[in-house]
Amino acid sequence: MLGVRALRLLQEWGCCRRCMLIFLGERSDLLYGDMAVIDDTLKSAAAKIKDESEPENGVSAQVSESEQKEEEPSLQEGSEASGNQESKVRVSLEDTNYDHMAKKQRCSVCITCLGLLQWGCSSDAVKLLSDAISSRGNDGDAFALALSFPMCLSLRVHRVWTLLLQALPKFPEKGRIDHVGTIKEVWKNLVGPEIEVSIKRKFITKKYFDFILNVNATHSRDMVECEIMEKLCTAMFTVRRQQHRKYSNTVFTKQAIDTAIKKVSDEEFLKACPEPPCVPDEAIIFQSLQCQQTSIFMAGRYNKYSRELPQTPWLVEGERKMETSVQELICESLIGAVKADDVKFSSSGREDVDVRCLGTGRPFVVEFINPCRTKFTRSEMKDLQAAINSNTKLVALRDLQVVDRKDVKVLKEGEEEKTKAYCALCLARDGYDPKVLDRLSGMTELTLCQKTPIRVLHRRCLATRRKIIHKMLASRVDDYFFKLHLTTQAGTYIKEFVHGDLGRTTPSLGSLLGLEVDIIALDVENVALDWPPRCDD
Ligand SMILES: [Zn+2]
C-alpha cells in the first residue's frame, strides 16, 4: 500500500493532516473539509494510491480487509504527529531520530506549511484578518485575499518531496508541480468564507482586484533555512551578493530560491539535506496585513482666478514658493472625504502661475490611491464641489464627478490634439495705429517655429516645434494697450509668440505688426476638450 506508507512517513516527519492530503495528490473540495472527517478522507486518499506492479512485503498487491486495517496509520486527534509508528514504518526510518520525534510531539507545528493550514486557519487568525479589513472602514462589499509566505516554505515542501520519492520511488509525483500554490489556495478557501461571515462582505476567489487584503506571512527561520541553497548554488548567490544595491534587503528572493531549486538535482539536494525539515518551534506569523483598494477617479473642470497661484505645489529645493496651488485647493478637501492614502492630480495641459483660466475652465482628474470610500451619490458630489467653491475665491470647480479609469485617458489624449483659446493683454511701448490690428484677423492657420523658450529650457529639451495659430482677433484698449484673442494648437507658447523670445519664435506678433510688443497678462479662455461630461445641476 504505497499511499499508506507515504502517509506514515509524512505523519512521522510531522506534516499536518491537510498537508498530508495535498502530498497524497488531493486537489478537491475535500481539502477544505471539517477536521472531524479529514481522517476518513486521508485514509481513503491513501488507499487509492497503490503500487500494482510489485507485491508489498511479499504479500500480493491485493490486500485483504484485515491487513489493510492493520496498515492504517493511527491518526490521533489533537496531535498532528503520532509517535507510535517506529515498529511499523520500515521505509527510510534510518533518518528518524528520537529527539526529533519527542520534539514533534511537544510542538505540533506542521513541518511543511509551518502552521499556515493549522493556526493560520484558526478562529484567532480569522479574527485578525477580519479586523484588518473592518478597521480600514472601506465601503466595498467584496474582498479577495493575497498571500505571500516565507521562502523556506517552498524549500520545505521541496525537501519533503525529495525525501518521499527517495523512500518511495514509485509514489505518484504529479501533484508536486502545483503543491505550493495548492497550500496557498487551500488556506484562502479555508479562511475566506469565515471572514465573509464575520465581516458580511463577499469573498471572491478569482480575479478580483477591487479590494484585496495582502497578507504577508513570515517565519523566524526563513533566512537560516534559505542558506542551504546558497551552499548548493554558490555561483548564483555570489553574483547576487556583489549586487549590493539591487539586493540590499536579502539575496534570498522568492525567485532566487525557486531558480536555485530547479538548478539543483534531487540527488545533490538530498546529499545536503538528508533529513526531513526540523519541526519548527513556532508557526508562521502574519507580519503585515494591508488593505489594497483600487484607485477611484474624480474629474471636473476648474477656473483659476488668481495670477499668483501655481497649478501644482511650487517647491524650489524643498522650499515652498507659493502658499498654495490649484491642486492643493482641489485635493485637500477631497482626500479627506475619500480617505485615500494619496492623490495624483493631472489636467489637460497647464497654465503658468500668472495666467488665469476662465471660460468653462480646464478639465482635470484626481486619482485617489487606496481610497476607503469608493461610492458617492450625485448629491454628495455636488456638496463636495460646493464646499471647495465656498472655501476659496482663487479657484472654482464645475462638473465634479466620479469617472471610470478607462475614461481618464481621454484627458491625456486630448491634451495634444485639442485647441485652446487665449486672451492676451499686450503693450506696444511706442504706441500703435489701431489699423495695424486689422491685419491679424486675416491671418488663419499661421505656422510658428518655436525654439524651446528660455524660461523653460531647464526642464524641457532644446528643440524647434511647429505650432499652429488657427485664428487671431485684436481689439484696441487705448493708445498703448490692445487685447489679442487667439485660438491655437495645444502646446503653443503664447507669451513667446507675443514678444518673440529674442528671435526664438518666428514669426512673432511684433514681427507681424512691425511693432515692439510686450505681454502684460494672459488668460486661458477655453480648453476645447469636451470631457468630463457636463453635470446638469
Ligand atoms: Zn501543514
Side-chain angles (χ1 to χ4, degrees), residues 15-33:
C15 282
C16 74
R17 291 164 193 198
R18 286 201 174 91
C19 279
M20 289 194 275
L21 208 44
I22 296 170
F23 276 106
L24 291 178
E26 190 59 63
R27 293 292 184 273
S28 69
D29 287 350
L30 292 172
L31 279 165
Y32 316 123

Side-chain angles (χ1 to χ4, degrees), residues 16 19 110 112-113:
C16 74
C19 279
C110 170
T112 46
C113 71

Side-chain angles (χ1 to χ4, degrees), residues 4 38 53 56 72 84 95 124 130 159 168 180 194 215 259 263 308 342 361 401 406 446:
V4 175
I38 204 157
S53 61
E56 287 177 30
E72 275 174 3
N84 188 25
D95 292 336
D124 282 353
S130 303
R159 217 161 146 166
L168 307 169
V180 173
E194 302 255 346
V215 179
T259 311
K263 277 189 177 178
E308 292 173 337
D342 202 0
Q401 58 197 282
K406 64 174 167 30
L446 177 72

Side-chain angles (χ1 to χ4, degrees), residues 127 315 344 411:
K127 185 171 186 318
L315 304 167
K344 272 188 206 157
L411 187 80

Side-chain angles (χ1 to χ4, degrees), residues 19-290:
C19 279
M20 289 194 275
L21 208 44
I22 296 170
F23 276 106
L24 291 178
E26 190 59 63
R27 293 292 184 273
S28 69
D29 287 350
L30 292 172
L31 279 165
Y32 316 123
D34 202 286
M35 286 308 275
V37 297
I38 204 157
D39 288 350
D40 294 334
T41 314
L42 260 174
K43 284 174 196 167
S44 62
K48 269 189 258 170
I49 302 171
K50 293 174 192 165
D51 180 359
E52 302 288 355
S53 61
E54 280 178 44
E56 287 177 30
N57 305 326
V59 185
S60 89
Q62 199 77 37
V63 186
S64 75
E65 179 112 8
S66 62
E67 276 168 330
Q68 192 174 342
K69 259 217 166 73
E70 210 190 347
E71 282 236 331
E72 275 174 3
S74 67
L75 295 155
Q76 292 170 359
E77 196 61 50
S79 161
E80 296 297 342
S82 167
N84 188 25
Q85 298 290 323
E86 59 268 33
S87 61
K88 288 183 184 169
V89 182
R90 307 292 313 160
V91 193
S92 196
L93 271 192
E94 302 82 55
D95 292 336
T96 311
N97 67 55
Y98 287 91
D99 276 349
H100 184 81
M101 299 268 293
K103 189 176 176 193
K104 202 167 56 191
Q105 280 166 326
R106 278 202 308 276
C107 167
S108 58
V109 178
C110 170
I111 60 155
T112 46
C113 71
L114 296 163
L116 183 70
L117 301 182
Q118 301 167 303
W119 173 82
C121 304
S122 66
S123 54
D124 282 353
V126 168
K127 185 171 186 318
L128 203 66
L129 301 167
S130 303
D131 287 350
I133 298 178
S134 304
S135 65
R136 176 77 191 172
N138 188 282
D139 66 356
D141 46 21
F143 72 99
L145 294 169
L147 172 73
S148 79
F149 47 59
M151 275 86 67
C152 67
L153 190 149
S154 310
L155 210 49
R156 280 171 167 260
V157 166
H158 181 67
R159 217 161 146 166
V160 173
W161 265 112
T162 49
L163 277 171
L164 190 64
L165 293 170
Q166 185 194 39
L168 307 169
K170 299 208 165 168
F171 187 77
E173 59 171 325
K174 59 180 191 297
R176 187 173 179 174
I177 296 161
D178 64 350
H179 191 126
V180 173
T182 304
I183 292 184
K184 213 181 233 194
E185 282 311 301
V186 171
W187 175 77
K188 281 187 203 171
N189 287 310
L190 283 166
V191 295
E194 302 255 346
I195 300 171
E196 178 175 279
V197 173
S198 154
I199 63 170
K200 297 179 183 66
R201 283 172 65 168
K202 188 149 180 51
F203 171 54
I204 304 207
T205 47
K206 293 248 151 63
K207 287 200 176 164
Y208 181 77
F209 305 109
D210 279 6
F211 183 89
I212 300 171
L213 178 66
N214 286 306
V215 179
N216 182 22
T218 57
H219 194 266
S220 53
R221 289 188 51 82
D222 198 22
M223 288 303 125
V224 181
E225 297 198 0
C226 286
E227 281 167 12
I228 189 74
M229 293 320 289
E230 185 164 15
K231 288 197 186 95
L232 287 166
C233 273
T234 316
M236 178 179 149
F237 285 100
T238 305
V239 173
R240 287 185 156 233
R241 291 243 179 242
Q242 284 157 358
Q243 295 170 308
H244 301 291
R245 206 171 288 173
K246 193 167 174 191
Y247 301 108
S248 58
N249 258 342
T250 173
V251 294
F252 301 122
T253 60
K254 192 167 168 38
Q255 203 197 349
I257 295 297
D258 287 344
T259 311
I261 287 176
K262 280 184 197 130
K263 277 189 177 178
V264 179
S265 70
D266 283 2
E267 291 72 32
E268 279 177 89
F269 188 80
L270 279 170
K271 230 182 265 172
C273 308
E275 289 182 17
C278 68
V279 175
D281 289 325
E282 52 194 12
I284 47 143
I285 56 163
F286 294 152
Q287 199 184 33
S288 72
L289 301 170
Q290 258 181 341

